[in-house]
Amino acid sequence: MTQTAKAVTIVEPRKLELREYTIPPLQPSGLLMQIEMSGICGTDKHTYRGETTQYGGTVNEQISPFPLIPGHENVGIVADITPGVVDFYGQPLRIGDRITMCPDVVCGKCYNCRHIFGYSWCEHWRGYGNSFRASEQPLMGGWSEYMVLIPEAFVYKVPDGLKPELAVYTEIMACTYALDKAKEFSSIAAEGFLSDDAVLIQGVGPLGLCHLIKARMMGAGTIIAMDRSEYRLKMAKAFGADHVVNVGNTSEALEGVFVDMGNIPLNPHLIVSKALRLIGLSNHPFTGYGPSMDLMLRYQDKMPLDTFVTHCFPLEEAQAAMDTALGLECMKVVFTPNRAAQQR
Amino acid sequence: MTQTAKAVTIVEPRKLELREYTIPPLQPSGLLMQIEMSGICGTDKHTYRGETTQYGGTVNEQISPFPLIPGHENVGIVADITPGVVDFYGQPLRIGDRITMCPDVVCGKCYNCRHIFGYSWCEHWRGYGNSFRASEQPLMGGWSEYMVLIPEAFVYKVPDGLKPELAVYTEIMACTYALDKAKEFSSIAAEGFLSDDAVLIQGVGPLGLCHLIKARMMGAGTIIAMDRSEYRLKMAKAFGADHVVNVGNTSEALEGVFVDMGNIPLNPHLIVSKALRLIGLSNHPFTGYGPSMDLMLRYQDKMPLDTFVTHCFPLEEAQAAMDTALGLECMKVVFTPNRAAQQR
Amino acid sequence: MTQTAKAVTIVEPRKLELREYTIPPLQPSGLLMQIEMSGICGTDKHTYRGETTQYGGTVNEQISPFPLIPGHENVGIVADITPGVVDFYGQPLRIGDRITMCPDVVCGKCYNCRHIFGYSWCEHWRGYGNSFRASEQPLMGGWSEYMVLIPEAFVYKVPDGLKPELAVYTEIMACTYALDKAKEFSSIAAEGFLSDDAVLIQGVGPLGLCHLIKARMMGAGTIIAMDRSEYRLKMAKAFGADHVVNVGNTSEALEGVFVDMGNIPLNPHLIVSKALRLIGLSNHPFTGYGPSMDLMLRYQDKMPLDTFVTHCFPLEEAQAAMDTALGLECMKVVFTPNRAAQQR
Amino acid sequence: MTQTAKAVTIVEPRKLELREYTIPPLQPSGLLMQIEMSGICGTDKHTYRGETTQYGGTVNEQISPFPLIPGHENVGIVADITPGVVDFYGQPLRIGDRITMCPDVVCGKCYNCRHIFGYSWCEHWRGYGNSFRASEQPLMGGWSEYMVLIPEAFVYKVPDGLKPELAVYTEIMACTYALDKAKEFSSIAAEGFLSDDAVLIQGVGPLGLCHLIKARMMGAGTIIAMDRSEYRLKMAKAFGADHVVNVGNTSEALEGVFVDMGNIPLNPHLIVSKALRLIGLSNHPFTGYGPSMDLMLRYQDKMPLDTFVTHCFPLEEAQAAMDTALGLECMKVVFTPNRAAQQR
């Protein structure tokens, strides 16, 4: 096995370098993953621009450290493993198995871990591709040839037949459990997300598009997608949106909310008089990976799921990858660090 | 307009007659419906056999009276109407419109109507095709050329593009709201009906098959269908069951529960130790008609929804229709009282 | 019986007059109510100041007309009644019975009535004390000696043993079903309103205090009350608040939201990162009157429920009543139009 | 510190012995608890009679081994502790602190631990007082002077002011979360457990009585208690039951369901026609201990909570304690192994 691995590293805001790291020896219960694909997420774009505060206003608030190896939407192959290590569901893992992983590493013992089911609100939260300074703990992000999986990380075996270009966005699909939550709000017409209910999606980047996919899988009626990218609205159509609206020319378009963009004006009277429900959710359940992959497998012939990844780049073209991801003419942009080696 | 209408009448248990009735003059806010299709339901089969107790053990318990014109799964055309009459959703109705209707007529004022949302648990419940003695109040069932709709009945305009052979089973599709209810039981893996959850359907007659269809629309994972009819299991496969099990040869198959078949042995310890939930539901919400038709319209190109009705009979062949429905080599059997007239 | 009835009338903003009206003859299914007590609600104070837009931004939006007889929190005695008229629960009513009523009159047939359970979101909504121009339809508000109840209005018999000073705030207690709704959001620690959960109440006027009472009845843990009135915070303490906070000197206190006070700044990132839920609700269920009275009856010896009404005024002292209600040194202010006559 | 501890041991069915065990040295992250009180539970009575199958029909099914030191409802004092050990909520623990504990020890890693929130459905479940053979792993039950707490066990600091005779039934109070679950089933009158809803409790032994207490705390309306013990029905009255029914003379009384007593006859038609919900639950959430103790503290002056423990016995009188518990003239029977030493 190779003794070193190359990895795209954000050394400071707006500065990417391809650095080489020594692969550390396998830890007890450890696992080494050869990366097939690793996505560029909106979070990574913020980090690249130096907007590094995540989970602001909560006990999980943290600042991404530099130098950083990003990459938390990962699919790859087990390259080395401690015998007996199993995946999240207890399935045995072997060298050569295709896996994906949950980037959120939790302690399982803090108040939040013990009171909030499945979601990673751990007070000691650490995020792959987000929390680990590469100079101290290397190869803890997916924009790399190899990634180190610590025993606390949740690993999921990819089912046979699910290609990497689908498995790579399992984490994003797991983020759509907001829709499952919406289903649980009573089966009265005006309350929860009933079958045939209309769904409006504001912004059909990768996260929005996955919500569209999931809404369609779950029995939505009319789906309306809004964005300012014609490229993305066209994809929304292809994935089942009934109506698309380009809001690029409207004067009141709202910006993203995962990152703290400050206050917006809002009329609380309308929330009350219309009996609205605003349900905040910035995360996804650990339990959502298996079902998400199963559903992708089930729907891969009914929806163009393999068009979701629109651009692949080798690690050497990190800047071009980032520039593409920062634009509006893409859906999911990924690195394929070992594509040549794998002859794919 | 014709002054009389022929209707299949159960004059006593196991005795069908084609009788002719005078069409009464239009009542204020009334509506006359020319029947295109009217299904034979399991309930009708019970009534035919003289098993006439419905909603046993509740305030709604009633005995079906003879002579009776059955037929509560109806689709047809507005033949006459009081100007200004609207459908359940407030849409105006005109002569020539295709409509379906809810067989359950409720008072809207009793304790049950005021406390149980949408479902017809009315203490003064009257059911089209079930409650009206044909000798006293004729043409109140769908196995007829024309049916009289009283002002209290809920009527639903069929959307353009939805053929009668789909619209005719709207009521059955509305019965699948048990699945919406199951969705509302919390989004924890072990509690509600989450996306990708497995669904087991015991008996894939028309009601079971509609649950299969709806479960697939709502994001079910593995679906297992059980029945003792190979014919029906084959249809279950065609509609998306992953596994089918013929229980015809098992010794412990359970019989239907809508009709009171008496006690079965059950171990309450297992309900407790396994934290099971048994959710009884024998009815459907008034609000489920529109969404059901919308979903059928949306899925008619993705599922073989137009194969659901397997047998059509003119009123003159009532006995053959009933004999077919009593067998296992059919899915939905319907009457088409005006097919010749309509040149379809 | 008296042929006329005096009623406090808002003839224009900030102008109250005691006018005399002819009592109309009893309608079919009608009921005449002799008012014992009628509260002054926050809504009435807004109307008095000329802030007359209610349910803004919804199909129910309406402007209160002048001249207006306010009063929608009413308790009184059946003075005249059509034989056979029953209350909401089907209980027979007789002259001399103590009753309360729901001010919201709904059609029961519009889309909202048919899709939103129990809550009065009717598209043809009319509100006692709010919607009826006294010059056109007199005695449709409770600040009056007698009030006319139309057949569509929901009337509730007050159980034996519940005094008028408790029954008069049944409607406010029914508004606390937001807490029942909060209970329904899953029994996970971080989601719904579990037993022993902390409750923060912003503003302990009558509505806030009723929420405090109900929260305590429903198994709340720590209850914190905020207000800028020491008088009210002292009452909050007496009703079971563990902590009270006077926000009178803080710079960021928010104002009420039932009335449209325009935008406030709000950071959507915090809703997302903290997984918050904002549940708007401006109304109450028809089904909440009976249970609210039962609970008041049950808790009247355990909580100082009879101190809730702090000020009683005859109709002749309307201006003093309004001035008191506009201040901070009161909880519920009511009119007692017939107290002298009733020798209480 | 004493080097040995006496413990009541079931050496074989129906045979109790007071044996002496060597206290093992403190493990890393371990804790030694001096028992103040340890209850006799219905489970212990079954074990005593040789009915030793628990969680039958599930992956958790296990047979209680002999010799066994029972006792899973425990309160006591920290006698020795590894520095730095914290309780379930992260609060530091010190020698002399009063604690209670959850008898269920779970792995946190199996499928059930990862998918079923809070409840102990662990596939590797081990229960204090139930799973540990005293000859192999001694002092793992509370009918003892000292009990050994392993690091995986959840410990809860008892709040100041909560006496041992209340804290000892924290586990039983935590079992009442079935009522919190019932609250989550929608806020429609006919579905969930709304405020003022009636509650019927079949059997008011300790578990039933705790459900009565909790139902009253959570805003129940009419509460009806059934039992065949006048002693217990009298206590039910004292704790707030509105009606009590002695079923001792009825012919159809059902027996307990936690233990497998085999089949009963049940009519599934009634579940369907009445839209009933049967919600099985045999366990309690880890998260329920803190809230349960808080609520007991809050209600100890409003309810006779200190009368719940009706009989205390020293370890030397184990047979008398068991005989009392097997009768109907008691509520909670407990051992007080160190009472003399503590001078209480």
Side-chain angles (χ1 to χ4, degrees):
Chain A
M1 184 176 305
T2 47
Q3 301 299 307
T4 61
K6 282 180 286 185
V8 174
T9 310
I10 307 183
V11 295
E12 61 184 62
R14 298 188 183 278
K15 187 164 178 196
L16 302 173
E17 280 184 13
L18 187 60
R19 293 190 170 178
E20 189 147 16
Y21 297 88
T22 301
I23 297 175
L26 199 66
Q27 279 188 297
S29 300
L31 190 159
L32 185 69
M33 180 181 182
Q34 186 187 37
I35 299 293
E36 290 184 300
M37 283 188 174
S38 180
I40 299 180
C41 172
T43 307
D44 302 323
K45 294 189 277 181
H46 285 293
T47 306
Y48 173 74
R49 289 195 295 238
E51 298 153 6
T52 57
T53 302
Q54 295 178 2
Y55 299 100
T58 76
V59 295
N60 313 82
E61 180 172 320
Q62 71 167 28
I63 311 293
S64 307
F66 299 114
L68 180 76
I69 304 173
H72 58 269
E73 302 164 358
N74 303 312
V75 62
I77 301 294
V78 177
D80 198 6
I81 189 168
T82 306
V85 166
V86 295
D87 86 345
F88 180 82
Y89 298 108
Q91 298 181 89
L93 292 175
R94 271 174 288 268
I95 290 176
D97 283 345
R98 176 166 292 142
I99 55 172
T100 184
M101 45 82 70
C102 174
D104 301 307
V105 179
V106 298
C107 74
K109 295 184 176 175
C110 68
Y111 186 91
N112 284 0
C113 278
R114 285 183 171 161
H115 286 80
I116 304 178
F117 175 70
Y119 288 78
S120 54
W121 302 114
C122 176
E123 295 170 24
H124 310 107
W125 176 84
R126 291 172 298 163
Y128 266 80
N130 276 301
S131 308
F132 301 96
R133 195 181 301 275
S135 50
E136 293 166 1
Q137 201 165 352
L139 300 178
M140 299 294 280
W143 296 2
S144 177
E145 289 174 317
Y146 286 89
M147 194 169 76
V148 171
L149 283 170
I150 58 178
E152 300 91 331
F154 295 147
V155 178
Y156 307 83
K157 195 173 174 186
V158 175
D160 291 344
L162 194 70
K163 291 180 288 186
E165 49 266 47
L166 273 72
V168 72
Y169 61 101
T170 304
E171 192 242 21
I172 320 180
M173 284 302 293
C175 287
T176 65
Y177 270 69
L179 290 165
D180 280 279
K181 282 234 155 290
K183 284 277 187 197
E184 97 182 27
F185 296 133
S186 166
S187 62
I188 293 188
E191 301 205 350
F193 166 27
L194 296 192
S195 46
D196 197 48
D197 271 1
V199 175
L200 170 69
I201 298 172
Q202 296 181 289
V204 278
L207 256 175
L209 189 61
C210 279
H211 277 82
L212 191 159
I213 292 167
K214 186 73 167 289
R216 188 53 80 217
M217 288 175 178
M218 290 174 77
T222 301
I223 297 181
I224 306 158
M226 292 163 61
D227 207 298
R228 56 200 170 98
S229 157
E230 279 301 320
Y231 181 99
R232 290 177 172 183
L233 291 174
K234 198 171 165 187
M235 285 192 73
K237 269 282 193 191
F239 275 89
D242 297 293
H243 306 291
V244 296
V245 181
N246 193 322
V247 294
N249 297 320
T250 65
S251 56
E252 296 191 31
L254 297 179
E255 287 282 341
V257 289
F258 178 71
V259 173
D260 190 341
M261 308 290 279
N263 289 337
I264 59 165
L266 187 141
N267 189 339
H269 170 69
L270 294 183
I271 296 176
V272 171
S273 68
K274 295 187 171 187
L276 297 184
R277 298 185 179 185
L278 300 190
I279 312 296
L281 204 57
S282 72
N283 220 309
H284 64 279
F286 307 142
T287 53
Y289 283 74
S292 293
M293 290 193 286
D294 281 351
L295 285 174
M296 286 195 279
L297 201 55
R298 185 174 290 279
Y299 281 85
Q300 62 184 351
D301 297 331
K302 299 185 184 69
M303 291 178 169
L305 297 180
D306 56 358
T307 66
F308 188 85
V309 172
T310 53
H311 298 79
C312 298
F313 289 90
L315 295 180
E316 288 73 14
E317 298 175 23
Q319 192 60 52
M322 178 57 76
D323 291 343
T324 302
L326 288 168
L328 291 173
E329 301 285 309
C330 64
M331 189 52 67
K332 179 52 66 184
V333 179
V334 303
F335 287 105
T336 52
N338 293 284
R339 178 161 283 190
Q342 291 165 9
Q343 315 292 3
R344 296 183 57 256
Chain B
M1 185 175 304
T2 47
Q3 302 298 306
T4 60
K6 281 178 286 182
V8 174
T9 309
I10 307 184
V11 294
E12 61 184 63
R14 298 188 182 276
K15 185 163 179 197
L16 302 173
E17 280 185 13
L18 186 61
R19 293 191 170 178
E20 189 147 14
Y21 298 87
T22 302
I23 298 175
L26 200 64
Q27 279 189 296
S29 301
L31 191 158
L32 185 69
M33 180 180 183
Q34 186 187 37
I35 299 292
E36 290 185 298
M37 282 189 175
S38 181
I40 298 180
C41 172
T43 307
D44 302 323
K45 295 188 277 181
H46 285 293
T47 305
Y48 172 75
R49 289 194 293 239
E51 299 153 6
T52 57
T53 303
Q54 296 178 2
Y55 300 99
T58 76
V59 293
N60 313 82
E61 181 170 320
Q62 72 167 28
I63 311 291
S64 308
F66 300 114
L68 180 77
I69 304 172
H72 58 271
E73 303 164 357
N74 303 313
V75 62
I77 301 294
V78 177
D80 197 7
I81 188 168
T82 307
V85 166
V86 296
D87 85 346
F88 180 81
Y89 298 109
Q91 299 180 88
L93 291 175
R94 270 174 289 267
I95 290 176
D97 283 345
R98 178 167 291 142
I99 54 172
T100 184
M101 46 82 69
C102 174
D104 302 306
V105 179
V106 299
C107 74
K109 295 183 176 175
C110 68
Y111 186 91
N112 283 0
C113 278
R114 285 183 170 161
H115 287 79
I116 304 177
F117 175 70
Y119 288 78
S120 55
W121 302 113
C122 176
E123 295 170 23
H124 310 107
W125 176 83
R126 291 173 295 163
Y128 266 80
N130 276 300
S131 307
F132 302 95
R133 197 181 300 275
S135 49
E136 293 166 2
Q137 203 166 351
L139 300 179
M140 299 294 279
W143 297 2
S144 178
E145 289 175 317
Y146 287 89
M147 195 168 76
V148 171
L149 283 170
I150 57 177
E152 300 91 331
F154 296 146
V155 177
Y156 307 82
K157 194 174 173 186
V158 175
D160 291 345
L162 193 70
K163 291 180 287 187
E165 49 265 48
L166 275 71
V168 73
Y169 60 101
T170 305
E171 192 242 22
I172 320 180
M173 284 302 293
C175 287
T176 64
Y177 271 70
L179 291 166
D180 281 279
K181 282 235 155 287
K183 284 276 186 196
E184 97 182 27
F185 296 134
S186 166
S187 62
I188 292 187
E191 302 206 349
F193 167 27
L194 297 191
S195 47
D196 195 49
D197 271 1
V199 175
L200 170 69
I201 298 172
Q202 295 182 291
V204 279
L207 255 176
L209 190 60
C210 279
H211 277 82
L212 191 160
I213 292 168
K214 185 75 167 288
R216 188 52 81 218
M217 288 176 178
M218 291 175 77
T222 300
I223 297 180
I224 306 158
M226 292 162 61
D227 207 298
R228 56 201 171 99
S229 157
E230 279 302 318
Y231 181 99
R232 290 177 172 182
L233 291 173
K234 199 172 165 187
M235 285 193 74
K237 269 282 194 192
F239 276 88
D242 297 294
H243 307 290
V244 296
V245 181
N246 193 323
V247 295
N249 298 319
T250 66
S251 57
E252 296 192 31
L254 296 179
E255 285 283 340
V257 289
F258 178 72
V259 173
D260 190 341
M261 308 289 279
N263 288 336
I264 59 165
L266 187 141
N267 189 339
H269 169 68
L270 295 182
I271 296 176
V272 171
S273 68
K274 296 188 170 187
L276 297 183
R277 298 186 180 183
L278 300 191
I279 311 296
L281 203 58
S282 72
N283 221 310
H284 64 278
F286 308 141
T287 54
Y289 283 73
S292 294
M293 289 192 286
D294 280 350
L295 285 173
M296 285 196 279
L297 200 55
R298 184 174 290 280
Y299 281 85
Q300 63 184 352
D301 296 331
K302 299 184 183 69
M303 291 177 167
L305 297 181
D306 56 358
T307 66
F308 188 86
V309 172
T310 55
H311 298 79
C312 299
F313 288 91
L315 295 180
E316 289 72 14
E317 298 175 23
Q319 191 61 52
M322 179 57 76
D323 291 343
T324 303
L326 288 167
L328 291 172
E329 303 283 308
C330 64
M331 188 53 65
K332 179 51 64 185
V333 179
V334 303
F335 286 105
T336 53
N338 292 285
R339 177 160 285 189
Q342 290 165 9
Q343 315 290 5
R344 295 182 58 258
Chain C
M1 184 175 303
T2 46
Q3 302 299 307
T4 61
K6 282 178 287 183
V8 174
T9 309
I10 306 183
V11 294
E12 63 184 63
R14 297 188 184 277
K15 186 163 177 195
L16 302 173
E17 278 184 16
L18 187 60
R19 293 191 171 178
E20 189 146 15
Y21 298 88
T22 300
I23 298 174
L26 200 65
Q27 280 188 296
S29 300
L31 191 159
L32 185 68
M33 180 181 183
Q34 186 188 34
I35 299 292
E36 290 184 298
M37 283 188 174
S38 180
I40 299 180
C41 171
T43 307
D44 303 322
K45 295 188 277 181
H46 285 293
T47 306
Y48 173 75
R49 290 195 293 240
E51 297 153 8
T52 56
T53 302
Q54 296 178 3
Y55 299 99
T58 76
V59 293
N60 313 83
E61 181 171 320
Q62 71 166 30
I63 311 292
S64 307
F66 298 114
L68 180 77
I69 304 173
H72 58 271
E73 303 164 358
N74 303 313
V75 62
I77 301 293
V78 177
D80 198 8
I81 188 168
T82 306
V85 166
V86 296
D87 85 345
F88 180 82
Y89 298 107
Q91 299 180 88
L93 291 176
R94 270 175 288 268
I95 290 177
D97 282 345
R98 176 166 292 144
I99 55 171
T100 185
M101 45 82 69
C102 174
D104 302 307
V105 179
V106 299
C107 75
K109 295 183 175 175
C110 68
Y111 186 92
N112 284 0
C113 278
R114 283 182 172 163
H115 286 79
I116 305 178
F117 176 68
Y119 289 78
S120 54
W121 301 113
C122 175
E123 296 170 23
H124 310 108
W125 176 82
R126 291 171 297 162
Y128 267 80
N130 276 301
S131 307
F132 301 96
R133 196 180 301 275
S135 50
E136 293 165 2
Q137 202 166 352
L139 300 178
M140 298 295 278
W143 298 2
S144 177
E145 289 175 316
Y146 286 90
M147 196 168 77
V148 170
L149 283 169
I150 58 178
E152 300 91 332
F154 296 147
V155 177
Y156 307 82
K157 194 174 173 185
V158 175
D160 291 343
L162 193 70
K163 292 180 286 186
E165 49 266 47
L166 274 72
V168 72
Y169 61 101
T170 304
E171 191 243 22
I172 320 180
M173 284 303 295
C175 287
T176 65
Y177 271 70
L179 290 165
D180 280 280
K181 283 236 155 289
K183 284 277 186 196
E184 97 181 27
F185 295 135
S186 166
S187 61
I188 292 188
E191 301 205 349
F193 166 26
L194 295 192
S195 47
D196 197 49
D197 271 2
V199 175
L200 171 69
I201 298 172
Q202 295 181 291
V204 278
L207 256 175
L209 189 61
C210 279
H211 277 81
L212 191 160
I213 292 168
K214 187 74 167 290
R216 187 53 80 217
M217 288 175 178
M218 290 175 77
T222 300
I223 298 180
I224 305 158
M226 291 162 61
D227 208 298
R228 54 198 171 101
S229 156
E230 279 301 319
Y231 181 99
R232 289 176 173 183
L233 291 174
K234 199 171 163 188
M235 285 193 73
K237 269 282 194 191
F239 276 89
D242 296 294
H243 306 291
V244 296
V245 182
N246 193 321
V247 296
N249 298 319
T250 65
S251 55
E252 296 192 32
L254 298 178
E255 287 281 341
V257 290
F258 178 71
V259 173
D260 190 340
M261 308 289 279
N263 288 337
I264 59 165
L266 188 141
N267 189 340
H269 169 68
L270 294 182
I271 295 176
V272 171
S273 68
K274 295 187 171 188
L276 296 184
R277 298 185 180 183
L278 300 190
I279 311 296
L281 203 57
S282 72
N283 221 310
H284 64 278
F286 308 141
T287 54
Y289 283 74
S292 294
M293 289 193 285
D294 281 351
L295 285 174
M296 286 196 277
L297 201 55
R298 185 175 290 280
Y299 281 86
Q300 63 183 352
D301 297 331
K302 298 185 184 68
M303 291 178 168
L305 297 180
D306 56 358
T307 66
F308 188 85
V309 172
T310 54
H311 298 79
C312 297
F313 288 91
L315 294 181
E316 287 74 13
E317 298 175 24
Q319 192 60 52
M322 179 56 76
D323 292 343
T324 302
L326 288 167
L328 291 172
E329 302 285 308
C330 64
M331 188 53 65
K332 179 50 68 184
V333 180
V334 302
F335 285 105
T336 53
N338 292 285
R339 178 161 284 188
Q342 291 164 8
Q343 315 291 1
R344 294 182 57 257
Chain D
M1 185 176 304
T2 46
Q3 302 299 307
T4 61
K6 282 178 288 185
V8 174
T9 310
I10 306 183
V11 295
E12 62 184 63
R14 298 188 182 277
K15 186 165 179 194
L16 302 173
E17 279 183 15
L18 186 61
R19 292 190 171 179
E20 190 148 15
Y21 297 88
T22 300
I23 298 174
L26 199 66
Q27 280 189 295
S29 301
L31 190 160
L32 185 69
M33 180 181 184
Q34 187 187 35
I35 299 292
E36 289 185 299
M37 283 188 175
S38 180
I40 299 179
C41 172
T43 307
D44 303 323
K45 295 188 278 182
H46 284 293
T47 306
Y48 172 75
R49 290 194 292 238
E51 298 153 7
T52 56
T53 302
Q54 296 178 2
Y55 299 99
T58 76
V59 294
N60 313 83
E61 181 171 319
Q62 71 166 29
I63 310 292
S64 307
F66 299 112
L68 179 77
I69 304 173
H72 58 271
E73 302 164 357
N74 303 313
V75 62
I77 301 293
V78 177
D80 199 7
I81 188 169
T82 306
V85 166
V86 295
D87 85 345
F88 180 81
Y89 298 109
Q91 298 181 88
L93 292 175
R94 270 174 288 269
I95 290 176
D97 283 345
R98 177 166 291 144
I99 54 172
T100 185
M101 46 82 71
C102 174
D104 301 307
V105 179
V106 298
C107 75
K109 295 182 176 176
C110 68
Y111 186 91
N112 284 359
C113 278
R114 284 182 171 162
H115 286 80
I116 304 177
F117 175 71
Y119 289 78
S120 54
W121 302 114
C122 175
E123 295 170 24
H124 311 106
W125 176 83
R126 291 172 297 163
Y128 265 79
N130 277 300
S131 307
F132 301 95
R133 196 180 301 274
S135 50
E136 292 166 2
Q137 201 165 352
L139 300 179
M140 299 294 279
W143 297 3
S144 176
E145 289 175 317
Y146 287 89
M147 196 168 76
V148 171
L149 283 170
I150 58 178
E152 299 91 332
F154 295 147
V155 177
Y156 307 82
K157 195 174 172 185
V158 175
D160 292 343
L162 193 70
K163 291 181 286 185
E165 48 266 49
L166 274 71
V168 72
Y169 61 100
T170 304
E171 192 242 19
I172 319 180
M173 284 303 294
C175 287
T176 64
Y177 270 70
L179 290 166
D180 280 278
K181 283 235 155 290
K183 285 276 186 197
E184 96 182 28
F185 295 135
S186 167
S187 62
I188 291 188
E191 301 204 348
F193 167 26
L194 295 193
S195 46
D196 197 50
D197 271 1
V199 174
L200 170 69
I201 299 172
Q202 295 181 291
V204 278
L207 256 176
L209 189 61
C210 279
H211 277 82
L212 191 160
I213 292 168
K214 187 73 166 289
R216 188 53 80 218
M217 288 176 178
M218 290 175 79
T222 300
I223 297 181
I224 305 159
M226 291 162 62
D227 208 296
R228 54 199 171 101
S229 156
E230 279 302 318
Y231 181 98
R232 289 177 172 181
L233 291 174
K234 199 171 163 187
M235 285 193 74
K237 268 282 193 190
F239 275 89
D242 296 295
H243 307 291
V244 296
V245 181
N246 193 321
V247 295
N249 299 319
T250 66
S251 56
E252 296 193 30
L254 296 178
E255 287 283 341
V257 290
F258 178 72
V259 174
D260 191 339
M261 308 289 280
N263 288 337
I264 59 166
L266 188 141
N267 189 339
H269 169 69
L270 294 183
I271 295 176
V272 171
S273 69
K274 296 187 171 187
L276 296 184
R277 298 184 179 185
L278 300 190
I279 312 296
L281 204 58
S282 72
N283 220 311
H284 64 278
F286 308 142
T287 53
Y289 283 74
S292 292
M293 289 192 286
D294 281 351
L295 285 174
M296 286 196 278
L297 200 55
R298 183 175 291 280
Y299 280 85
Q300 63 183 353
D301 297 332
K302 298 185 184 69
M303 290 178 168
L305 297 180
D306 56 359
T307 66
F308 188 85
V309 172
T310 54
H311 298 79
C312 298
F313 288 90
L315 296 180
E316 288 74 13
E317 299 175 23
Q319 191 60 51
M322 179 57 76
D323 291 343
T324 302
L326 288 167
L328 291 172
E329 301 285 307
C330 64
M331 189 51 66
K332 180 50 67 182
V333 179
V334 303
F335 286 105
T336 52
N338 292 284
R339 178 161 283 190
Q342 290 165 10
Q343 315 291 3
R344 295 182 59 258

